[in-house]
Amino acid sequence: MVFDSWTAFFHMGNYGVYVWSAYGLGALALVGLGLDTVMSRRKELNKLKKRYIRESKS
């Protein structure tokens, strides 16, 4: 599909709202999953550090 201008590209034949909102929601989901992964990793590393400290004192 060839568009005559950037405006036509962004409007996508009056379906632009649906197309770009789908891209936005998809990007938001990927960012959320990435953040969740980073936060979970930090939490697990902190738990391991605390366990190591607790067991090394015994």
Side-chain angles (χ1 to χ4, degrees), residues 3 5-7 9 16 18-19 26-31 36-37 39-40 42-43 48 50-51 54-55 57-58:
F3 297 100
S5 66
W6 283 105
T7 305
F9 173 73
Y18 305 111
V19 172
L28 184 65
L30 289 175
V31 168
D36 183 55
T37 301
M39 291 172 63
S40 295
R42 285 184 185 168
K43 183 178 176 183
L48 287 172
K50 288 179 183 178
R51 181 177 174 185
R54 185 178 67 241
E55 290 179 0
K57 288 182 180 180
S58 306

Side-chain angles (χ1 to χ4, degrees), residues 6 8 12 15 21 27-28 32 37 42 45 47 49 52 56 58:
W6 283 105
M12 292 205 176
Y15 293 106
S21 63
L28 184 65
T37 301
R42 285 184 185 168
L45 285 175
K47 284 172 43 179
K49 285 178 188 177
Y52 176 76
S56 65
S58 306

